[in-house]
Amino acid sequence: MVFESHDDPHDVPVAPADGSANTSDDSVLALKILVAGGFGVGKTTLVGAVSEIRPLRTEERLSEAGAALDDSRDVVRKTTTTVAMDFGRITIRAGLSLYLFGTPGQDRFWFLWDDLAQGALGAVVLADTRRLEDCFPAVDYFENRGIPFLVAVNCFPEARAYGAGEVARALDLDRGTPVVLCDARDRDSGKEVLIRLVEHAGRVHTARLLDSVG
């Protein structure tokens, strides 16, 4: 198992998901973001590409025993899998940092999701159009818990290209849930996904706040 990090994810001063934290002029607002999706969809790659620190990774080599449980038909080059979480950090602008928590993709590790989701502003659900059904559990999880999310289609070179609208219809997403296309290997592409998520989650939380006082 590999643990690599310059920061301790357990000591992250994450702001409440409702945005109610008070910060001084010289402080940094830290927002917690989840990166979820199916097995082998690019979660570890995305966190590693955008992180400005050496990411923490909890990976194990794929075994013959796990081959019976993990569908790796479209990810034949994948030799490791996340068994706990990935962790990274990116500064979006002065005074605003995102702490990224990548969830494990296999269903046998879903018991970890509730702990990882505590205090999260929102989530990125990564999707592979060759195995679009693999992201249904993540979509259902965040919809059922009211956690704002967007779907980021990781555009693998071998995969057939689909438009954002087609993906949204195939996943039967709630109206207003963003779908964006990205390359999880590219830092700028990944950063744009995160910016879109923060904007979307901000609108959702603001609307809920206004509804609660209206």
Side-chain angles (χ1 to χ4, degrees):
M1 185 179 293
V2 180
F3 290 90
E4 299 178 352
S5 179
H6 288 173
D7 281 18
D8 184 348
H10 300 291
D11 294 332
V12 173
V14 179
D18 62 6
S20 60
N22 293 320
T23 58
S24 61
D25 292 340
D26 59 351
S27 65
V28 174
L29 176 63
L31 302 175
K32 181 179 183 180
I33 301 296
L34 299 184
V35 180
F39 172 72
V41 77
K43 300 179 295 296
T44 297
T45 300
L46 176 64
V47 173
V50 302
S51 181
E52 60 199 19
I53 63 171
R54 183 183 301 168
L56 180 150
R57 296 186 174 125
T58 56
E59 294 190 316
E60 290 281 7
R61 293 191 63 82
L62 292 172
S63 64
E64 293 184 5
L69 301 173
D70 304 324
D71 183 1
S72 58
R73 286 173 295 177
D74 292 310
V75 285
V76 293
R77 293 187 296 274
K78 186 173 177 62
T79 59
T80 61
T81 185
T82 299
V83 297
M85 68 174 184
D86 299 310
F87 172 74
R89 184 190 72 206
I90 179 174
T91 300
I92 296 298
R93 57 172 172 76
L96 175 60
S97 292
L98 304 182
Y99 287 85
L100 311 175
F101 290 77
T103 66
Q106 303 96 313
D107 55 6
R108 63 184 183 276
F109 296 123
W110 285 350
F111 67 92
L112 297 170
W113 283 37
D114 285 342
D115 286 338
L116 291 175
Q118 289 185 10
L121 175 79
V124 172
V125 176
L126 272 176
D128 179 349
T129 57
R130 298 169 299 178
R131 298 176 293 123
L132 200 57
E133 68 278 2
D134 287 0
C135 69
F136 275 118
V139 169
D140 289 343
Y141 182 90
F142 298 122
E143 284 184 343
N144 292 336
R145 287 160 180 77
I147 298 175
F149 70 95
L150 61 70
V151 173
V153 179
N154 191 7
C155 298
F156 289 90
E158 317 85 52
R160 178 180 172 184
Y162 292 91
E166 293 176 289
V167 174
R169 288 190 293 272
L171 293 175
D172 193 25
L173 297 175
D174 291 341
R175 185 175 181 180
T177 301
V179 176
V180 297
L181 308 182
C182 74
D183 182 345
R185 303 165 299 179
D186 182 77
R187 175 180 170 82
D188 290 338
S189 180
K191 184 176 180 180
E192 181 61 28
V193 169
L194 296 171
I195 292 172
R196 287 285 303 276
L197 172 63
V198 171
E199 292 173 345
H200 170 62
R203 290 192 295 269
V204 171
H205 287 300
T206 298
R208 290 175 181 171
L209 180 61
L210 293 175
D211 286 343
S212 69
V213 299

